[in-house]
Amino acid sequence: MGYEEELQSEREYVADLYARLDGERARVKAAYQSALGGTGGTAMERDNEVRARHREMKRLNVADYGLCFGRLDSVDGDRSYIGRIGLFDEENEFEPALLDWRAPAARPFYTATGATPEGMLRRRQFLTRRRTVAGFTDEVFGKLGEERGDVALLEALNAPRGAGMRDIVATIQSEQDAIIRLDHPGVLVIEGGPGTGKTVVALHRVAYLMYTQRERMERHGVLVVGPNPAFLDHIGRVLPSLGESDVVFSTVGSLLPGLLATAEDAPDVARIKGSRAMVDVLKAAVAARQRVPEEPIPIGMKDVVVQIGADVAEWARQEARDSGLPHNEARAVFREIVTYVLTERAIGRIGKGWMSRSDKQAWEDMRSGLVKDLADDESFIAALDFLWPIMTPFELLGSLYSSPEELAAAGADPSLLRAEGEPWTVSDVPLLDELHDLLGKDGTEQAVDQAATAERRAEARYAAEVLDSMVGRFDHMDDEDHLFASDMLFAEDLAERFEDHDQRTLAERALADRAWTYRHVVVDEAQELSEMDWRVLMRRCPGRSFTVVGDLAQRRAAAGATSWGQMLDPYVPGRWEYRSLTVNYRTPAEIMAVAAQVLAEFAPDVKAPDSVRANGVQPWSRQVTAEELPAAIEEFAKQEAEFEGTSVVIGPPGVPGTVPASETKGLEYDSVLVVAPERILAGGPRGAAELYVALTRATQRLGVLHHDPLPAALSGLTETVRT
């Protein structure tokens, strides 16, 4: 059969797959609508049915384009089509018409080579336009010198970039696939230089885990942490395009419900706040609020005055601390001890001469009255608020920052001092989160919990009363029928009254609940995270299942990682896996040659990733004056408007018309203009890393505008003169 006949045959097969997809979509939509209006079963069962159908609808909707992207032929004559989702033959439900790319049988599509064909004869890759197969390329394994064809890969790499990251499900390379399918339940570190695809590999690994561990993952979901909102927007469509939506995207600055921190501290302050030593500072700050009075505090009770002295407060404080409860919750222990001592002393004085301790009932009756009096006594409440105050994390940290005395008492660096009312920074969020654990729930939160508990108990009593009142109706039944009838009554008549049907998505519920824990966490640009950041993330994932993505050479944060063991060994010592990616799929060789010179300046021991392609376009530079700069940037924008794709102008902070390199980390653009590289280099100890990031954002074209002579590290640029 010739190429055209083969192409027509493949078009017909893929068209049939789309017909199956449309039929399945219609069936699921009808089931979803039926579930919405259904009346059978309990409310909980109907709710679960609606959620399941809705998830299935979303899974099918992502497959409109790129449904099938290839075919595998085995030496045994078997033929398998590989695609975005799995579809089954209508006549044989155990025979897939389309294999999900994550299925074990699909793996050779990504890993088979001429040297190791894995039992395969041929790999066929489709080039598609919407729902139509426009062409295909074949690799026949076993032929001398035969290598994997790169037509589909190069087409994807050379295509103009859109508004966000695309999935690579059709072009996953062998080294990437090995990481995606790695069977490691704990922490996996993926390190790679710019353009190696580490982020998209991590996201496809999440999709793979959610496919292979669906039941374990779907109830708690996955958390993806990125450096800034622009980055999260950039990667946000990848997992939905793979049919996975139970994912929460967040920056470190937005991990606390109700707080979105975007302000950055000065590097030295960020380094101090990010140190694990801040845990001891915060503990000391909390302990400093657990006071012993310098002078006894008088409390009036009936006709006597008793005192809270240092001895009483010290005893109560030690008991409260020994309880192991967080500060706010341990106040109940402190109060109980103080109340006991005060009432004992008051009764002894009030009943002196006429009440004997052996008269237990009289003693306890008087104690009960005194306890009630103390509960409303303003002087007693004021004393408790002074000796053991209820605090929120925001109140305590704000007070600590604004007081040189409190900072000194807690052993904190004096550079943390700042004026009251200043906005919270990204580095403050881990400290506030730590304080949530140290302080526990404040009065408002405790009241909400108590009200919820009381409501649940009232509902349970009501349910029990209803069931008891109905028992007589079933007296004529045998035990088995009686049990069945009672169960049906509770399930059908009472479940709708008492079950809490939360209609929010998993992401909405997780973002609103600080105590939410995830089954898996992805941390991107992980080299920027501080020791305190890692404490926050470890709390969010008790199972310690992480995919950690980063490049130590690109670190810019003063509190960031200098090694992966530094951050991970305190939590998973010796139990984390490391994998590296070495091929640059984003940056053309011409641009990477320039960036590699910069890398050699600040990280001579780090090898730049090898570019998989060259595009023949040489990066250029031009010297301009400050007056000429705005016109030169405008000229760049006009020239780029003639191309399809995206562009960006990167410069040092404060230069009009540019964005800092830090805001482009993890992003990619067809064309990049770097302004004043000499100022970026001089911008601090990590200036060279900033410039390295800026140079490696481009997928096609790179230009540089400079005021002073070019730094030696950029000597590979072709200098141009404005005509």
Side-chain angles (χ1 to χ4, degrees):
M1 186 183 296
Y3 178 84
E4 290 300 327
E5 291 82 4
E6 285 264 2
L7 178 59
Q8 182 57 35
S9 175
E10 299 294 22
R11 284 174 174 167
E12 292 173 358
Y13 190 89
V14 172
D16 179 67
L17 290 176
Y18 275 110
R20 293 171 188 264
L21 174 68
D22 292 339
E24 182 69 5
R25 183 181 290 147
R27 183 189 66 79
V28 172
K29 183 177 180 180
Y32 173 71
Q33 292 173 336
S34 175
L36 281 176
T39 57
T42 67
M44 179 64 75
E45 289 169 343
R46 294 196 299 273
D47 186 53
N48 289 339
E49 175 72 6
V50 168
R51 289 177 182 272
R53 296 301 182 185
H54 187 253
R55 282 195 300 267
E56 184 68 4
M57 284 173 59
K58 289 196 292 186
R59 185 185 77 87
L60 294 172
N61 285 339
V62 304
D64 257 330
Y65 305 118
L67 172 63
C68 177
F69 42 77
R71 190 184 96 187
L72 271 176
D73 296 350
S74 75
V75 294
D76 297 328
D78 295 330
R79 177 178 296 178
S80 301
Y81 285 84
I82 315 300
R84 191 171 294 274
I85 64 173
L87 293 173
F88 286 87
D89 190 286
E90 294 177 358
E91 297 180 358
N92 183 357
E93 61 180 23
F94 300 106
E95 185 68 29
L98 181 67
L99 271 177
D100 190 299
W101 66 275
R102 295 167 287 192
R107 181 168 188 166
F109 184 78
Y110 301 108
T111 58
T113 66
T116 55
E118 301 185 32
M120 296 297 127
L121 176 66
R122 175 189 291 107
R123 171 174 40 232
R124 175 167 290 179
Q125 291 179 286
F126 297 149
L127 304 177
T128 59
R129 299 290 183 268
R130 291 186 174 270
R131 288 189 165 205
T132 302
V133 179
F136 66 81
T137 59
D138 277 347
E139 298 168 71
V140 179
F141 301 122
K143 291 186 177 180
L144 186 63
E146 185 75 45
E147 298 293 339
R148 176 171 179 176
D150 289 325
V151 175
L153 174 64
L154 292 175
E155 182 183 68
L157 296 179
N158 287 318
R161 265 43 179 181
M165 178 180 285
R166 297 167 297 190
D167 65 65
I168 59 169
V169 63
T171 58
I172 294 171
Q173 301 300 290
S174 182
E175 70 166 357
Q176 297 172 328
D177 185 79
I179 294 173
I180 290 169
R181 299 176 193 262
L182 183 65
D183 183 18
H184 179 68
V187 177
L188 172 65
V189 176
I190 307 173
E191 185 164 26
T196 53
K198 52 188 179 293
T199 296
V200 75
V201 166
L203 295 175
H204 282 68
R205 175 168 169 76
V206 169
Y208 176 76
L209 291 175
M210 296 185 82
Y211 174 81
T212 57
Q213 303 176 28
R214 178 73 60 193
E215 187 173 334
R216 175 177 175 269
M217 291 282 188
E218 66 182 3
R219 288 194 62 189
H220 287 259
V222 172
L223 173 65
V224 177
V225 178
N228 53 59
F231 174 83
L232 296 177
D233 287 343
H234 178 66
I235 68 172
R237 67 175 64 178
V238 174
L239 283 168
S241 76
L242 297 172
E244 304 301 344
S245 57
D246 290 336
V247 181
V248 175
F249 294 89
S250 178
T251 62
V252 171
S254 59
L255 282 172
L256 272 182
L259 175 63
L260 175 59
T262 58
E264 297 277 356
D265 284 301
D268 286 347
V269 174
R271 177 180 52 79
I272 293 167
K273 290 182 179 180
S275 169
R276 195 178 290 110
M278 284 300 298
V279 175
D280 293 331
V281 170
L282 297 177
K283 287 180 178 178
V286 173
R289 301 301 183 97
Q290 300 164 355
R291 302 182 181 100
V292 172
E294 295 181 3
E295 297 292 336
I297 301 173
I299 304 294
M301 299 177 69
K302 296 291 186 183
D303 297 326
V304 300
V305 175
V306 291
Q307 296 179 330
I308 305 176
D311 59 334
V312 176
E314 181 62 50
W315 176 28
R317 180 171 69 173
Q318 193 59 51
E319 290 289 335
R321 288 176 174 176
D322 290 346
S323 72
L325 294 170
H327 170 87
N328 290 337
E329 296 163 40
R331 172 168 156 142
V333 178
F334 183 87
R335 178 174 185 151
E336 182 180 2
I337 297 297
V338 173
T339 298
Y340 171 78
V341 174
L342 294 185
T343 54
E344 280 286 302
R345 291 178 178 178
I347 295 170
R349 294 173 61 181
I350 295 171
K352 188 176 182 180
W354 62 270
M355 181 183 292
S356 170
R357 184 63 188 261
S358 61
D359 189 351
K360 294 182 180 179
Q361 187 60 50
W363 197 281
E364 289 304 320
D365 288 345
M366 183 171 287
R367 181 198 302 282
S368 178
L370 292 174
V371 168
K372 290 178 181 178
D373 291 342
L374 279 179
D376 298 322
D377 187 276
E378 292 183 1
S379 63
F380 179 64
I381 294 172
L384 288 177
D385 289 342
F386 172 73
L387 297 174
W388 199 283
I390 295 291
M391 297 176 289
T392 70
F394 300 96
E395 291 169 346
L396 179 57
L397 194 60
S399 175
L400 179 66
Y401 283 160
S402 61
S403 170
E405 294 77 18
E406 289 186 29
L407 286 171
D413 193 290
S415 65
L416 297 184
L417 183 68
R418 71 182 194 187
E420 287 189 47
E422 289 193 20
W424 298 109
T425 67
V426 174
S427 301
D428 289 329
V429 172
L431 308 186
L432 292 166
D433 194 71
E434 191 81 28
L435 283 171
H436 268 285
D437 274 9
L438 293 175
L439 294 175
K441 295 178 179 178
D442 61 33
T444 301
E445 293 171 316
Q446 291 182 36
V448 170
D449 282 354
Q450 290 168 0
T453 300
E455 184 178 358
R456 286 194 299 270
R457 287 174 178 170
E459 290 170 348
R461 284 195 299 271
Y462 176 83
E465 290 168 2
V466 172
L467 287 172
D468 287 343
S469 70
M470 300 296 290
V471 167
R473 300 186 185 183
F474 307 118
D475 286 344
H476 64 281
M477 300 180 181
D478 60 28
D479 289 342
E480 184 176 349
D481 288 339
H482 182 280
L483 180 61
F484 173 77
S486 299
D487 288 346
M488 287 298 291
L489 174 67
F490 186 81
E492 295 183 6
D493 295 341
L494 299 181
E496 290 186 3
R497 178 179 176 89
F498 302 129
E499 289 288 356
D500 178 17
H501 299 297
D502 194 336
Q503 297 300 314
R504 295 174 298 172
T505 65
L506 181 143
E508 290 169 339
R509 286 180 285 135
L511 284 171
D513 184 0
R514 178 192 167 268
W516 190 278
T517 57
Y518 299 88
R519 285 292 181 261
H520 191 77
V521 176
V522 177
V523 189
D524 211 323
E525 299 294 339
Q527 73 277 355
E528 308 296 348
L529 269 61
S530 69
E531 292 173 323
M532 292 302 293
D533 292 332
W534 279 107
R535 288 179 66 86
V536 177
L537 297 180
M538 291 295 170
R539 286 189 203 101
R540 300 301 191 273
C541 188
R544 302 291 191 261
S545 179
F546 282 76
T547 299
V548 177
V549 182
D551 179 11
L552 295 176
Q554 295 187 59
R555 177 180 65 86
R556 59 177 288 273
T562 56
S563 73
W564 298 118
Q566 169 200 1
M567 298 302 183
L568 298 176
D569 283 343
Y571 308 102
V572 284
R575 294 190 291 113
W576 52 275
E577 291 282 331
Y578 176 88
R579 295 291 185 274
S580 64
L581 293 169
T582 59
V583 178
N584 188 328
Y585 298 99
R586 174 203 300 147
T587 316
E590 294 85 352
I591 296 176
M592 201 61 216
V594 176
Q597 287 185 282
V598 175
L599 178 66
E601 289 285 318
F602 72 95
D605 297 332
V606 179
K607 183 182 182 300
D610 297 319
S611 295
V612 77
R613 66 192 171 103
N615 66 355
V617 180
Q618 293 298 322
W620 55 268
S621 64
R622 189 168 82 228
Q623 190 167 18
V624 296
T625 65
E627 293 75 19
E628 294 172 331
L629 179 60
I633 293 176
E634 185 178 351
E635 178 186 353
F636 167 79
K638 288 181 179 179
Q639 291 175 344
E640 287 304 315
E642 299 176 4
F643 294 95
E644 185 182 357
T646 59
S647 63
V648 68
V649 181
I650 302 174
V655 175
T658 72
V659 298
S662 59
E663 294 183 13
T664 66
K665 294 202 75 171
L667 308 182
E668 57 182 30
Y669 306 86
D670 292 273
S671 186
V672 172
L673 180 66
V674 178
V675 173
E678 66 276 20
R679 286 180 55 187
I680 296 176
L681 276 172
R686 302 297 297 172
E690 293 274 286
L691 181 57
Y692 181 60
V693 170
L695 295 172
T696 53
R697 298 307 94 195
T699 66
Q700 301 294 342
R701 301 173 295 280
L702 172 68
V704 173
L705 298 176
H706 58 103
H707 303 306
D708 301 326
L710 272 179
L714 296 179
S715 59
L717 291 168
T718 301
E719 186 75 14
T720 65
V721 179
R722 185 175 182 182
T723 58

